[in-house]
Amino acid sequence: MKVIAVMNYKGGVGKTTLTANLGAEIAHRGHRVLLLDLDPQANLTFSFYSVEQWREELRKDLTIMRWYEGDLPGREVALQDLVVTPPVVNAELADSGGRLDLISSHLRLIDMDLRLAARLGGGTTIGESKRKFLDLHGSLARALRHDAFREYDLVLIDCPPNFGLITKTAIVASDHVLVPAKADYLSTLGIQYLAGNCHELVAEYNDYVNHGASAGGEKTIETRFVGVVFTMVKYYAGQPIGTQKYYIEDVRLNSEMNVLDGAVRDSPRYFGDAGESGVPAILRAPVTDEVVVEFRKLTTEILDKVGERAA
Ligand SMILES: Nc1ncnc2c1ncn2[C@@H]1O[C@H](COP(=O)(O)OP(=O)(O)O)[C@@H](O)[C@H]1O
Ligand SMILES: [Mg+2]
């Protein structure tokens, strides 16, 4: 099982659209994929469930909110008990042998970062503080190591657009970080900063593990960047249009992060509806369409990079 965190500090960069379609495409290749929605905006959740369905079936007991509640994540409920199988998309996947599962988000998750941060305090010794740090930051990683998750080939985490505690639990739990970005000033601005923050978190976590603060058997982590995927790319004569090309080159030259060869084309027709139908565009669009052809190549590139060969 590989875990990929999908993140960018900027909202509206196509993070959720990429996560939903990537999950659907990989499941369509016969894999078992788990999507984990950690964004309080819950757009990934609403790509597979209507708001009414979510309210009636998921809101009370079946969201990640319940897992983060309590004095330590996972005390109230086990992560595996929150997994749901969205019916509409899985009906579409029936012949593929794959499956797309989800742990849904909750709009109230927005308050959770502060509550989690409060739990970090109060250690009376440095050793105790470090143990709290590892307990909390490593909580999602620990939960995903449970046998119940062994059936999945891939877990994709849609992170909130910040570097709060919830995002940090996701980074610690992930083998890889994938960064979708629009090719514009504001979306590319934070990429180097994001890379730096990830490095710092991994270094601090590993330092505490190496210096014996770990009580729960935590191991050192090695979170790698898959790279930057440009989204909503507009082409003219086979090339990204001028301003976009400039920002793509800028990231290529000035960021330590690799820019993937593949990109997601701007297609309001396919990607503009934010998944209201319950089935991501990649499973609905004609297979000969260039949007689909390109997206499939991108998927293969990402799977190759994380070492999970396409089925
Ligand atoms: N490749 C694309 N082409 C056209 N519209 C897109 C594309 N990707 C995303 N969108 C649209 O842009 C908006 C923001 O995308 P979303 O995936 O929700 O971003 P984020 O999760 O980063 O906030 C949504 O309305 C979505 O439908
Ligand atoms: Mg989103």
Side-chain angles (χ1 to χ4, degrees):
M1 182 186 83
K2 292 275 162 51
V3 184
I4 306 179
V6 182
M7 72 168 305
N8 188 317
Y9 295 146
K10 179 92 173 59
V13 297
K15 210 159 41 72
T16 300
T17 305
L18 178 67
T19 309
N21 283 279
L22 207 51
E25 169 60 20
I26 295 169
H28 186 70
R29 295 181 185 194
H31 292 288
R32 299 200 161 191
V33 180
L34 175 65
L35 302 177
L36 179 45
D37 189 0
L38 295 187
D39 190 338
Q41 291 180 45
N43 291 352
L44 185 63
T45 301
F46 298 132
S47 304
F48 298 100
Y49 285 90
S50 70
V51 176
E52 294 73 40
Q53 274 177 319
W54 177 82
R55 271 205 203 106
E56 282 167 22
E57 300 167 24
L58 308 181
R59 178 174 61 176
K60 191 166 160 285
D61 295 319
L62 291 171
T63 78
I64 192 67
M65 178 81 188
R66 264 192 82 209
W67 187 78
Y68 280 107
E69 260 164 6
D71 59 342
L72 191 70
R75 284 272 162 81
E76 305 278 309
V77 65
L79 192 64
Q80 58 270 24
D81 293 339
L82 299 175
V83 175
V84 293
T85 303
V88 183
V89 68
N90 280 286
E92 201 75 19
L93 291 167
D95 297 334
S96 68
R99 199 172 76 210
L100 192 59
D101 285 346
L102 172 77
I103 297 179
S104 78
S105 187
H106 195 298
L107 300 158
R108 269 183 46 226
L109 200 62
I110 190 107
D111 307 321
M112 190 50 82
D113 262 331
L114 281 176
R115 287 162 62 187
L116 288 173
R119 278 175 228 155
L120 265 185
T124 48
T125 63
I126 292 178
E128 205 175 309
S129 302
K130 288 182 176 179
R131 255 195 311 281
K132 275 193 176 177
F133 178 98
L134 288 180
D135 266 358
L136 194 50
H137 288 77
S139 55
L140 187 59
R142 270 198 311 279
L144 284 171
R145 277 202 296 271
H146 191 277
D147 278 351
F149 294 102
R150 286 212 182 164
E151 64 172 296
Y152 294 102
D153 300 304
L154 197 71
V155 180
L156 293 172
I157 308 179
D158 193 5
C159 296
N162 58 44
F163 209 67
L165 258 165
I166 289 186
T167 302
K168 289 177 178 172
T169 62
I171 299 298
V172 170
S174 297
D175 307 295
H176 298 272
V177 178
L178 180 64
V179 182
K182 269 166 90 170
D184 63 27
Y185 179 65
L186 288 175
S187 311
T188 52
L189 188 66
I191 290 177
Q192 196 48 43
Y193 183 57
L194 188 157
N197 278 339
C198 287
H199 287 315
E200 263 177 43
L201 171 65
V202 170
E204 186 174 14
Y205 189 90
N206 286 343
D207 182 54
Y208 292 175
V209 172
N210 286 329
H211 292 89
S214 157
E218 273 80 12
K219 297 191 196 83
T220 54
I221 51 170
E222 227 182 297
T223 308
R224 296 202 183 91
F225 299 116
V226 185
V228 178
V229 180
F230 282 99
T231 64
M232 300 182 224
V233 179
K234 293 188 167 87
Y235 294 92
Y236 179 77
Q239 293 279 321
I241 58 167
T243 49
Q244 291 196 332
K245 201 173 171 184
Y246 169 82
Y247 286 109
I248 293 170
E249 277 314 301
D250 184 52
V251 173
R252 226 188 269 283
L253 294 172
N254 299 318
S255 157
E256 68 172 289
M257 254 190 244
N258 162 53
V259 173
L260 298 193
D261 294 334
V264 185
R265 176 180 290 266
D266 183 57
S267 170
R269 176 158 172 232
Y270 290 127
F271 295 126
D273 78 345
E276 281 135 41
S277 69
V279 179
I282 195 68
L283 300 184
R284 286 183 282 118
V287 290
T288 50
D289 197 294
E290 63 187 353
V291 170
V292 176
V293 174
E294 286 168 7
F295 196 88
R296 288 196 167 159
K297 271 175 81 176
L298 172 68
T299 304
T300 301
E301 186 185 2
I302 292 169
L303 288 176
D304 281 349
K305 284 240 153 60
V306 304
E308 191 74 36
R309 280 305 305 216

